Amino acid sequence: WCLLLPRRQKKTASHAVTELENTKDCSQAGKPLLCPSHPTEELQLFCEQCDQPVCRDCVLGRHRQHPCDFAGNVIHRHGDALRELLRSSQQHMDTLEDVLSQVEEMGSAIRSRAEAVAAEICLFAKGYVKAIEEHRDRLLKQLEDLKVQKENLLHLQKAQLQQLLLDMRTGVEFTEHLLMSGSDVEILITKGVVSSRLTKLNSIAYSTQPSVDDRIQFSPHERAGQCCGYEVFGAILNKVVDPARCTLHGEGLRNARQNQLSGFTLLCKDTTGEHMGRGGEAVWITITHTGKTDCAVKPTVCDNGDGTYCISYIPEEPGLYAVCVCVKGQHVQGSPFTVMVKHKLREHQGVFHCCTFCSSGGQKDARCACGGTMPGGYQGCGHGHKGHPGCHHWSCCGQVKESSECLCGPPSDASQRSLLRTVAL
């Protein structure tokens, strides 16, 4: 420690430094240790305050006021403290050795694991590349098949149009030659056959547009399912939505209720009538009142991503509404159509009961809209008596369905006083 502290400190300035090997030799030789300050005096005492061995002259000198004792008297206490520190240090050494061993083992495990993961990555990448290559080949094959299919349809249409054109050209040339060179009798004789031939040719239907189009697209973000166990993306899109084949479904196409949510579903189809199976189409919808100006409903369109679209709306006014549903600016099948919006569902003002006698507690003047009466002066219905509908029903209007709309008008003061006295028979 004296080497670690600056030499200029007063406390350690006079300390002599001796090599441990030298002290070891001295102890083995049995020679006494002499005081560095008093070379003729042996170190036999220990200064507690300065925590160092001293000689008698040191005690009489600068250690005069310090608590000192013989080394043999204090060695046990200081030796026990050193031994305790030694045990603690040895435990830390054992722990450090264990930790170092674990660190070495962990380093080895990390290297092994990294090598294994690297092999997994290479295997995964190899399989992924193979899957992508197979998916690429599959897409190219699909594209080639689609191209050949379209070309075959065009060749067929071309052959049919060429044959029809040849037949018409032959008929026209023959007719022109007949009219220019034929005699009157020849024209009259062949008129029927020529007329019939030209009429038949003119009646043959043919498309004025190519039978197929060039709409072939590649969507790189389209999910394409599994390939070799890997999920791949990218699909060829050749389906084109046909508004005339798109259909509408749902109760909201015909009826709706005031201030209640209603709706219907749009199903998009391609030119062949098949389900599109994907979303993203431009859907445009208007819902306007036919009897009131500036009265329209703003619909909500939800793209389900599978070729179907959920349209919901809440009409605020009753009446007849005109609904237009367009895809890519063209009306779909059944559009425009009308929806009748009825008034808000009228709630029942009475009670849904088995009979007036039970629900009123046997009151004679309690009446019911079902029209039933009981003998003995009871003005309302009872089980098994005349006019009873034979099931539970509403006392206000006689409806037997609990979730039905009330057929009565707005509640009157009398009905507010007694829910059972709603109808005067």
Side-chain angles (χ1 to χ4, degrees), residues 136-147:
R136 175 202 62 195
D137 296 340
R138 187 169 60 186
L139 288 175
L140 293 176
K141 177 66 167 55
Q142 182 181 352
L143 177 62
E144 181 64 22
D145 293 343
L146 182 60
K147 184 194 74 169

Side-chain angles (χ1 to χ4, degrees), residues 232-305:
V232 293
F233 294 82
I236 295 176
L237 305 179
N238 65 312
K239 288 186 175 182
V240 179
V241 65
D242 186 358
R245 293 181 179 271
C246 298
T247 56
L248 299 168
H249 310 272
E251 182 63 27
L253 296 171
R254 295 175 291 275
N255 300 305
R257 286 282 182 181
Q258 180 185 5
N259 295 330
Q260 288 188 2
L261 181 66
S262 186
F264 52 90
T265 301
L266 168 64
L267 176 60
C268 288
K269 299 181 180 180
D270 62 4
T271 53
T272 63
E274 294 184 0
H275 186 195
M276 286 293 294
R278 58 181 175 84
E281 302 296 342
V283 179
W284 178 74
I285 299 172
T286 60
I287 304 176
T288 55
H289 199 293
T290 59
K292 295 182 179 180
T293 58
D294 299 331
C295 182
V297 179
K298 185 178 180 180
T300 300
V301 181
C302 178
D303 187 350
N304 297 323

Side-chain angles (χ1 to χ4, degrees), residues 43 80 101-102 142 152 168 183 244 312 325 328 355 379 411-412:
L43 295 172
D80 291 342
S101 177
Q102 293 178 14
Q142 182 181 352
N152 289 339
M168 283 191 170
S183 64
S312 57
V325 181
K328 290 187 175 180
C355 68
Q379 301 182 33
S412 61

Side-chain angles (χ1 to χ4, degrees), residues 171-219:
V172 167
E173 291 177 353
F174 179 81
T175 305
E176 289 178 345
H177 178 73
L178 176 64
L179 292 174
M180 291 178 61
S181 304
S183 64
D184 296 341
V185 176
E186 290 175 339
I187 293 175
L188 293 175
I189 291 175
T190 57
K191 175 185 71 69
V193 176
V194 173
S195 248
S196 175
R197 177 60 175 169
L198 291 179
T199 302
K200 183 178 180 181
L201 291 175
N202 290 333
S203 64
I204 295 177
Y206 58 93
S207 175
T208 58
Q209 300 292 333
S211 59
V212 294
D213 51 43
D214 61 348
R215 296 178 183 177
I216 303 176
Q217 297 178 347
F218 175 67
S219 176

Side-chain angles (χ1 to χ4, degrees), residues 22-260:
N22 297 336
T23 59
K24 184 177 179 182
D25 294 340
C26 293
S27 62
Q28 290 176 355
K31 295 179 180 180
L33 295 176
L34 301 179
C35 178
S37 301
H38 308 91
T40 60
E41 295 294 331
E42 185 179 353
L43 295 172
Q44 295 180 342
L45 300 171
F46 186 79
C47 178
E48 295 287 353
Q49 180 174 335
C50 297
D51 194 28
Q52 69 179 54
V54 295
C55 67
R56 288 179 300 175
D57 291 346
C58 293
V59 173
L60 296 176
R62 57 192 178 91
H63 294 277
R64 179 177 300 175
Q65 302 297 330
H66 297 176
C68 296
D69 199 353
F70 285 99
N73 295 335
V74 299
I75 186 60
H76 298 291
R77 178 163 50 85
H78 289 279
D80 291 342
L82 284 175
R83 279 186 285 274
E84 184 62 30
L85 285 174
L86 178 61
R87 284 193 296 270
S88 177
S89 298
Q90 288 174 343
Q91 291 177 357
H92 282 295
M93 288 175 60
D94 295 339
T95 303
L96 287 171
E97 289 177 355
D98 292 340
V99 173
L100 284 172
S101 177
Q102 293 178 14
V103 168
E104 290 292 336
E105 292 177 358
M106 184 57 67
S108 177
I110 289 174
R111 288 189 292 274
S112 300
R113 187 57 187 158
E115 292 176 359
V117 172
E120 292 179 5
I121 292 174
C122 293
L123 183 62
F124 171 81
K126 184 178 180 181
Y128 208 166
V129 170
K130 181 180 178 182
I132 293 176
E133 290 177 347
E134 289 193 10
H135 182 53
R136 175 202 62 195
D137 296 340
R138 187 169 60 186
L139 288 175
L140 293 176
K141 177 66 167 55
Q142 182 181 352
L143 177 62
E144 181 64 22
D145 293 343
L146 182 60
K147 184 194 74 169
V148 171
Q149 178 185 1
K150 287 179 176 290
E151 288 178 343
N152 289 339
L153 292 175
L154 287 177
H155 288 326
L156 177 60
Q157 183 184 18
K158 181 179 178 181
Q160 293 173 344
L161 292 176
Q162 287 177 339
Q163 184 62 46
L164 179 60
L165 178 61
L166 178 61
D167 294 342
M168 283 191 170
R169 182 176 288 115
T170 303
V172 167
E173 291 177 353
F174 179 81
T175 305
E176 289 178 345
H177 178 73
L178 176 64
L179 292 174
M180 291 178 61
S181 304
S183 64
D184 296 341
V185 176
E186 290 175 339
I187 293 175
L188 293 175
I189 291 175
T190 57
K191 175 185 71 69
V193 176
V194 173
S195 248
S196 175
R197 177 60 175 169
L198 291 179
T199 302
K200 183 178 180 181
L201 291 175
N202 290 333
S203 64
I204 295 177
Y206 58 93
S207 175
T208 58
Q209 300 292 333
S211 59
V212 294
D213 51 43
D214 61 348
R215 296 178 183 177
I216 303 176
Q217 297 178 347
F218 175 67
S219 176
H221 303 293
E222 193 87 9
R223 291 182 178 272
Q226 296 281 334
C227 183
C228 300
Y230 295 85
E231 185 174 3
V232 293
F233 294 82
I236 295 176
L237 305 179
N238 65 312
K239 288 186 175 182
V240 179
V241 65
D242 186 358
R245 293 181 179 271
C246 298
T247 56
L248 299 168
H249 310 272
E251 182 63 27
L253 296 171
R254 295 175 291 275
N255 300 305
R257 286 282 182 181
Q258 180 185 5
N259 295 330
Q260 288 188 2

